[in-house]
Amino acid sequence: VLDLPVGQGAERQQREGAERDRIEQEGEAFLERVRAGYCTLSDELPNVRTIDARGTTDEVHQRIRQLISSLLTVPTDPRKDSA
């Protein structure tokens, strides 16, 4: 889950000149409930992760890469190190 406060998402969208879709037109309270729902899923499901989407595109991209890297890292077998 890429998590971004609703207000910051709206600011980004406005800055980039993007039009609001029908979901975004439902209003801030609705979007806050949607965000809370995704955060709950992330808290309750072990295979769902939350990534802070605040910051630049490059910063968010780095966070995603770090998470993926940590998930793909295979722990070393301590028995092999002692040989």
Side-chain angles (χ1 to χ4, degrees):
V1 174
L2 294 175
D3 183 40
L4 183 68
V6 172
Q8 288 185 21
E11 288 171 12
R12 261 191 207 172
Q13 196 172 21
Q14 187 176 26
R15 190 172 52 245
E16 295 171 3
E19 291 187 32
R20 295 172 52 173
D21 65 23
R22 72 174 183 82
I23 299 295
E24 292 153 343
Q25 290 176 13
E26 290 293 323
E28 189 171 326
F30 173 77
L31 294 174
E32 289 289 357
R33 289 193 306 274
V34 170
R35 179 181 182 221
Y38 278 107
C39 289
T40 298
L41 282 176
S42 182
D43 290 341
E44 294 177 356
L45 300 175
N47 60 333
V48 177
R49 304 292 195 281
T50 299
I51 296 173
D52 183 358
R54 293 175 293 181
T56 67
T57 302
D58 288 338
E59 290 168 336
V60 175
H61 181 243
Q62 185 61 33
R63 289 184 199 119
I64 294 168
R65 289 178 56 92
Q66 287 172 343
L67 174 62
I68 292 171
S69 178
S70 73
L71 295 173
L72 296 177
T73 301
V74 178
T76 59
D77 185 344
R79 294 173 294 182
K80 290 181 181 177
D81 292 336
S82 62

